[in-house]
Amino acid sequence: MIVVTGATGQLGRLVIAALLKTVPAAQIVAAVRSPEKAADLAAQGVQVRRADYGDAASLDAAFQGATKVLLISSNEIGERLAQHRAVIDAAKRANVQLLAYTSVLRADTSALGLAAEHLQTEQAIKDSGVPAAILRNGWYTENYTAGVPGAVAQGAIYGSAGEGRISSAARSDYAEAAAVVLASEGHAGKIYELAGDSAYTLSELAAEVSRQSGKAVEYRNIPEADYKAALIGFGLPEVVAILLSDSDTAASNGALFDEGQQLSALIGRPTTAWPVSVSEALKQAVK
């Protein structure tokens, strides 16, 4: 039995979709805080179980019969460690054979502000003694392409990444990697540094958006504080704006660059080319 936490999130749904290609639906559990949001998964034969990080009994029930658990990192920055520990403790009580965790690229050396909670979680997993695989995910290309329609309208992509190169991959690539680890053997004790096969600067991203859209789009590099203010002005919550602006500044110093190609090796194919993700974003914009 494979349990996926956060199964109704963007990554969680993609992981389950990938698992369904090789694993019987009845052997997959979608562990979610609000089961009503997973009705579509239940319709596909996936087991849906309530799992609240603040309710140990619900986690125990959700993990009953589990052999493998995927802990998708919480999006509640500042609260993650306590929530993750609750899942780790439940996985230990369930005697799972593998706990996979979605961390961040080079968590042990990263300058990203969000890396600290990930590294603390990795240590908690190690201390627990539960057999584990650490999936250190790099940046999702969608983190940037989600803003492509607005960039076309404004004629600019804003950021603080300078000429830092970003080795991002599509969210679906990372989801497929998680599914591979969950559906096959030999991953316990492994740490995977996962990133896209090719890298780009935000100037190159802007040029590609211009080429595909036929509209002039430039990259405007601005100080981190100004970028954070701009993101808040665009309607993002302050905590998200802080995360993105901090990450961009770290990217200027190589924090989001990697050329190990472990992701493509794990999924057995090249990662999704970032210009393809730009194309998808533009298609969605005109729907």
Side-chain angles (χ1 to χ4, degrees):
M1 192 81 69
I2 297 172
V3 177
V4 178
T5 70
T8 52
Q10 289 178 299
L11 181 63
R13 286 185 177 279
L14 290 172
V15 171
I16 288 181
L19 282 172
L20 285 170
K21 295 176 182 178
T22 59
V23 178
Q27 292 298 310
I28 302 171
V29 174
V32 296
R33 186 175 297 175
S34 303
E36 66 275 9
K37 294 181 180 179
D40 59 315
L41 299 177
Q44 297 177 71
V46 173
Q47 296 188 52
V48 175
R49 298 178 182 175
R50 179 178 171 274
D52 189 318
Y53 294 145
D55 181 353
S58 75
L59 292 172
D60 288 340
F63 292 178
Q64 186 173 4
T67 54
K68 297 180 181 181
V69 171
L70 174 63
L71 169 52
I72 293 178
S73 56
S74 165
N75 60 8
E76 296 182 37
I77 298 169
E79 304 295 329
R80 285 171 156 176
L81 183 57
Q83 294 177 342
H84 295 168
R85 278 179 171 154
V87 173
I88 295 165
D89 291 345
K92 184 172 184 176
R93 290 193 295 271
N95 295 311
V96 302
Q97 297 172 13
L98 184 75
L99 173 62
Y101 172 63
T102 60
S103 187
V104 70
L105 186 66
R106 295 190 300 275
D108 53 342
T109 60
S110 178
L112 294 171
L114 57 81
E117 285 182 304
H118 285 297
L119 189 58
Q120 289 166 347
T121 298
E122 289 187 17
Q123 186 61 49
I125 291 172
K126 183 178 180 180
D127 292 344
S128 75
V130 177
I134 306 300
L135 307 176
R136 288 179 171 171
N137 290 353
W139 225 230
Y140 301 146
T141 307
E142 290 89 346
N143 289 349
Y144 288 117
T145 58
V148 160
V152 172
Q154 296 169 10
I157 290 175
Y158 293 88
S160 303
E163 290 304 306
R165 302 195 67 75
I166 298 158
S167 306
S168 69
R171 186 178 279 108
S172 58
D173 294 339
Y174 295 105
E176 190 173 329
V180 167
V181 167
L182 292 168
S184 59
E185 301 304 321
H187 302 286
K190 300 286 184 66
I191 296 177
Y192 294 103
E193 302 287 357
L194 305 178
D197 289 343
S198 60
Y200 55 91
T201 66
L202 293 189
S203 294
E204 291 170 340
L205 176 63
E208 182 64 20
V209 173
S210 293
R211 187 187 70 80
Q212 291 195 29
S213 68
K215 305 238 179 115
V217 177
E218 64 178 352
Y219 173 54
R220 296 178 186 170
N221 197 65
I222 57 178
E224 180 181 338
D226 293 345
Y227 184 38
K228 182 185 78 171
L231 291 170
I232 293 173
F234 294 151
L236 292 180
E238 184 174 8
V239 65
V240 176
I242 291 172
L243 182 154
L244 293 177
S245 57
D246 167 82
S247 299
D248 247 33
T249 300
S252 70
N253 295 312
L256 300 181
F257 176 74
D258 182 83
E259 52 189 354
Q261 299 192 351
Q262 290 187 34
L263 178 52
S264 55
L266 191 56
I267 63 179
R269 61 167 177 80
T271 58
T272 304
W274 60 270
V276 172
S277 296
V278 171
S279 176
E280 289 299 316
L282 290 170
K283 287 177 184 176
Q284 291 297 321
V286 298
K287 282 186 178 180

